Amino acid sequence: MPPKSPPDTDADYTGLISLEECILWSISSGEMYGLEIVRAIKEVTAGKRQVSVGALYPALHRLEQRDSLTSRMGDPATESSGGARRKYFRITENGLRQLARARRMREQLFQWQSQPEDKGVLASSLVAPLQQELAFLLDRVIDVEARLQRLLSIASSS
């Protein structure tokens, strides 16, 4: 039986980096503005993942360019908004599909990772070619050593 390899995720690859995935998960339940997204990620990860505004907005822009989310400008600035007009983000159907693919990919990786016998077979299938290569190289070293000995004997006899 051929060794089982890690799941082929290329077909389902989401193209999302971790931050983008966190953003899409955050807005999957409803529209949010930037600071709400930052707070949601921090809350969900129990403070382990803190996103700076400097990292957030370029990621939001990339996601919008890929049609993973849409944005709209909120009402004119008010005192409660800190004097700035808020930009709200909402996930699109494409963004929801990307999240579904990301979930499937993680599940496949988890299943593969949790099957130690398959990883053992995979590891042994990697060792055999390396052993063959090592044997070949050792034969080459022995061959080169024999040639050097012959050259040394010829040089010393002349």
Side-chain angles (χ1 to χ4, degrees):
M1 174 187 230
K4 183 175 180 183
S5 59
D8 178 12
T9 55
D10 286 343
D12 285 336
Y13 183 65
T14 63
L16 296 174
I17 62 172
S18 175
L19 173 59
E20 293 168 345
E21 191 175 339
C22 287
I23 290 169
L24 290 178
W25 280 115
S26 297
I27 64 173
S28 66
S29 60
E31 187 176 72
M32 291 182 160
Y33 62 92
L35 193 54
E36 285 178 316
I37 296 169
V38 168
R39 289 179 185 149
I41 292 170
K42 185 178 179 181
E43 183 180 319
V44 166
T45 64
K48 293 178 184 162
R49 178 80 192 248
Q50 296 188 26
V51 179
S52 70
V53 174
L56 177 70
Y57 283 98
L60 287 167
H61 182 71
R62 284 191 304 272
L63 289 167
E64 194 167 19
Q65 285 181 323
R66 284 189 247 147
D67 190 37
S68 300
L69 58 81
T70 60
S71 65
R72 71 169 181 85
M73 292 306 293
D75 296 330
T78 63
E79 210 172 293
S80 67
S81 68
R85 190 169 179 197
R86 292 179 177 159
K87 189 172 187 178
Y88 290 87
F89 300 90
R90 176 185 307 261
I91 196 166
T92 62
E93 288 297 318
N94 185 48
L96 289 171
R97 281 191 299 274
Q98 285 181 305
L99 285 180
R101 284 193 303 267
R103 178 183 290 138
R104 278 193 309 273
M105 183 178 72
R106 288 180 188 275
E107 287 169 356
Q108 288 174 335
L109 288 171
F110 178 76
Q111 286 174 346
W112 176 79
Q113 189 178 30
S114 63
Q115 299 171 0
E117 68 281 351
D118 289 342
K119 286 194 295 188
V121 170
L122 179 61
S124 66
S125 71
L126 294 174
V127 169
L130 290 174
Q131 288 174 329
Q132 290 172 350
E133 182 71 18
L134 183 59
F136 172 76
L137 291 173
L138 187 57
D139 286 343
R140 299 286 290 170
V141 167
I142 291 169
D143 186 43
V144 168
E145 187 178 42
R147 287 182 188 177
L148 282 173
Q149 296 238 342
R150 274 187 258 139
L151 286 172
L152 286 173
S153 68
I154 292 171
S156 65
S157 64
S158 47

Short mmCIF file of all heavy atoms in Angstrom, two decimals, residues 30-53:
data_model
loop_
_atom_site.label_atom_id
_atom_site.label_comp_id
_atom_site.label_asym_id
_atom_site.label_seq_id
_atom_site.Cartn_x
_atom_site.Cartn_y
_atom_site.Cartn_z
N GLY A 30 -21.43 39.64 11.12
CA GLY A 30 -22.06 40.94 10.87
C GLY A 30 -21.05 42.02 10.56
O GLY A 30 -19.86 41.85 10.72
N GLU A 31 -21.57 43.13 10.13
CA GLU A 31 -20.77 44.28 9.73
C GLU A 31 -20.01 44.86 10.94
O GLU A 31 -20.57 44.97 12.03
CB GLU A 31 -21.72 45.32 9.16
CG GLU A 31 -21.07 46.50 8.54
CD GLU A 31 -22.11 47.42 7.92
OE1 GLU A 31 -22.84 48.08 8.69
OE2 GLU A 31 -22.18 47.47 6.69
N MET A 32 -18.76 45.24 10.72
CA MET A 32 -17.94 45.83 11.78
C MET A 32 -17.04 46.91 11.18
O MET A 32 -16.70 46.85 10.00
CB MET A 32 -17.03 44.79 12.43
CG MET A 32 -17.69 43.75 13.25
SD MET A 32 -16.40 42.68 13.95
CE MET A 32 -17.29 41.96 15.30
N TYR A 33 -16.62 47.84 12.01
CA TYR A 33 -15.62 48.81 11.59
C TYR A 33 -14.27 48.38 12.16
O TYR A 33 -14.19 47.46 12.99
CB TYR A 33 -16.00 50.24 11.98
CG TYR A 33 -16.11 50.52 13.45
CD1 TYR A 33 -15.02 50.99 14.19
CD2 TYR A 33 -17.32 50.36 14.12
CE1 TYR A 33 -15.14 51.25 15.55
CE2 TYR A 33 -17.45 50.63 15.47
CZ TYR A 33 -16.35 51.08 16.18
OH TYR A 33 -16.46 51.35 17.52
N GLY A 34 -13.21 49.00 11.70
CA GLY A 34 -11.85 48.58 12.00
C GLY A 34 -11.55 48.29 13.46
O GLY A 34 -11.06 47.21 13.80
N LEU A 35 -11.83 49.23 14.35
CA LEU A 35 -11.51 49.04 15.76
C LEU A 35 -12.31 47.89 16.37
O LEU A 35 -11.82 47.16 17.22
CB LEU A 35 -11.74 50.34 16.54
CG LEU A 35 -11.16 50.39 17.95
CD1 LEU A 35 -9.68 50.05 17.96
CD2 LEU A 35 -11.39 51.77 18.56
N GLU A 36 -13.53 47.68 15.89
CA GLU A 36 -14.32 46.55 16.37
C GLU A 36 -13.67 45.22 15.96
O GLU A 36 -13.68 44.26 16.74
CB GLU A 36 -15.75 46.59 15.79
CG GLU A 36 -16.64 47.64 16.41
CD GLU A 36 -18.02 47.66 15.77
OE1 GLU A 36 -18.12 47.60 14.52
OE2 GLU A 36 -19.00 47.74 16.53
N ILE A 37 -13.12 45.19 14.76
CA ILE A 37 -12.44 43.98 14.28
C ILE A 37 -11.23 43.69 15.15
O ILE A 37 -11.01 42.56 15.59
CB ILE A 37 -12.05 44.11 12.80
CG1 ILE A 37 -13.30 44.23 11.92
CG2 ILE A 37 -11.19 42.93 12.35
CD1 ILE A 37 -13.03 44.63 10.48
N VAL A 38 -10.44 44.74 15.43
CA VAL A 38 -9.26 44.59 16.29
C VAL A 38 -9.67 44.03 17.65
O VAL A 38 -9.06 43.09 18.17
CB VAL A 38 -8.51 45.93 16.45
CG1 VAL A 38 -7.46 45.87 17.54
CG2 VAL A 38 -7.88 46.34 15.12
N ARG A 39 -10.71 44.61 18.24
CA ARG A 39 -11.19 44.17 19.55
C ARG A 39 -11.71 42.74 19.50
O ARG A 39 -11.49 41.95 20.41
CB ARG A 39 -12.27 45.11 20.06
CG ARG A 39 -11.73 46.46 20.47
CD ARG A 39 -12.86 47.36 20.94
NE ARG A 39 -12.37 48.70 21.21
CZ ARG A 39 -13.09 49.79 21.06
NH1 ARG A 39 -14.35 49.72 20.65
NH2 ARG A 39 -12.58 50.97 21.33
N ALA A 40 -12.44 42.40 18.44
CA ALA A 40 -13.01 41.05 18.32
C ALA A 40 -11.90 40.00 18.25
O ALA A 40 -11.97 38.97 18.92
CB ALA A 40 -13.90 40.97 17.09
N ILE A 41 -10.87 40.26 17.45
CA ILE A 41 -9.76 39.32 17.32
C ILE A 41 -9.05 39.16 18.66
O ILE A 41 -8.75 38.04 19.10
CB ILE A 41 -8.79 39.74 16.21
CG1 ILE A 41 -9.47 39.62 14.84
CG2 ILE A 41 -7.50 38.92 16.25
CD1 ILE A 41 -8.69 40.23 13.70
N LYS A 42 -8.83 40.26 19.34
CA LYS A 42 -8.16 40.21 20.65
C LYS A 42 -9.01 39.43 21.65
O LYS A 42 -8.50 38.60 22.40
CB LYS A 42 -7.91 41.63 21.16
CG LYS A 42 -7.13 41.68 22.45
CD LYS A 42 -6.85 43.11 22.89
CE LYS A 42 -6.10 43.13 24.19
NZ LYS A 42 -5.84 44.51 24.63
N GLU A 43 -10.32 39.65 21.63
CA GLU A 43 -11.21 38.97 22.57
C GLU A 43 -11.30 37.48 22.29
O GLU A 43 -11.19 36.65 23.20
CB GLU A 43 -12.60 39.60 22.50
CG GLU A 43 -13.59 39.02 23.49
CD GLU A 43 -14.95 39.68 23.37
OE1 GLU A 43 -15.01 40.92 23.19
OE2 GLU A 43 -15.95 38.95 23.45
N VAL A 44 -11.48 37.12 21.03
CA VAL A 44 -11.63 35.71 20.66
C VAL A 44 -10.35 34.93 20.96
O VAL A 44 -10.42 33.77 21.35
CB VAL A 44 -12.02 35.59 19.17
CG1 VAL A 44 -11.86 34.18 18.66
CG2 VAL A 44 -13.44 36.08 18.97
N THR A 45 -9.21 35.55 20.79
CA THR A 45 -7.93 34.86 21.03
C THR A 45 -7.43 35.03 22.45
O THR A 45 -6.30 34.68 22.75
CB THR A 45 -6.85 35.35 20.05
OG1 THR A 45 -6.59 36.74 20.29
CG2 THR A 45 -7.25 35.11 18.60
N ALA A 46 -8.26 35.59 23.31
CA ALA A 46 -7.90 35.83 24.72
C ALA A 46 -6.61 36.64 24.82
O ALA A 46 -5.76 36.39 25.67
CB ALA A 46 -7.78 34.51 25.48
N GLY A 47 -6.47 37.61 23.92
CA GLY A 47 -5.32 38.50 23.96
C GLY A 47 -4.05 37.95 23.33
O GLY A 47 -3.04 38.64 23.29
N LYS A 48 -4.08 36.71 22.84
CA LYS A 48 -2.88 36.11 22.25
C LYS A 48 -2.57 36.68 20.88
O LYS A 48 -1.44 36.66 20.44
CB LYS A 48 -3.04 34.60 22.16
CG LYS A 48 -3.07 33.93 23.51
CD LYS A 48 -3.28 32.44 23.38
CE LYS A 48 -3.39 31.85 24.79
NZ LYS A 48 -3.99 30.53 24.77
N ARG A 49 -3.58 37.17 20.21
CA ARG A 49 -3.39 37.78 18.88
C ARG A 49 -3.85 39.22 18.96
O ARG A 49 -5.03 39.49 19.14
CB ARG A 49 -4.22 37.00 17.85
CG ARG A 49 -4.14 37.56 16.43
CD ARG A 49 -2.87 37.09 15.79
NE ARG A 49 -2.57 37.78 14.57
CZ ARG A 49 -2.61 37.21 13.38
NH1 ARG A 49 -2.95 35.96 13.24
NH2 ARG A 49 -2.28 37.89 12.31
N GLN A 50 -2.91 40.14 18.87
CA GLN A 50 -3.25 41.55 18.88
C GLN A 50 -2.88 42.13 17.53
O GLN A 50 -1.76 41.97 17.06
CB GLN A 50 -2.52 42.26 20.02
CG GLN A 50 -2.98 41.74 21.37
CD GLN A 50 -2.44 42.56 22.52
OE1 GLN A 50 -2.14 43.73 22.36
NE2 GLN A 50 -2.33 41.93 23.66
N VAL A 51 -3.83 42.78 16.92
CA VAL A 51 -3.65 43.31 15.57
C VAL A 51 -3.51 44.82 15.64
O VAL A 51 -4.35 45.49 16.24
CB VAL A 51 -4.87 42.93 14.68
CG1 VAL A 51 -4.71 43.48 13.29
CG2 VAL A 51 -5.06 41.43 14.67
N SER A 52 -2.48 45.32 15.03
CA SER A 52 -2.31 46.77 14.97
C SER A 52 -3.11 47.33 13.80
O SER A 52 -3.39 46.62 12.83
CB SER A 52 -0.83 47.13 14.80
OG SER A 52 -0.39 46.77 13.50
N VAL A 53 -3.47 48.57 13.90
CA VAL A 53 -4.20 49.23 12.82
C VAL A 53 -3.34 49.25 11.56
O VAL A 53 -3.84 49.11 10.45
CB VAL A 53 -4.63 50.65 13.26
CG1 VAL A 53 -5.26 51.41 12.12
CG2 VAL A 53 -5.59 50.57 14.44
#
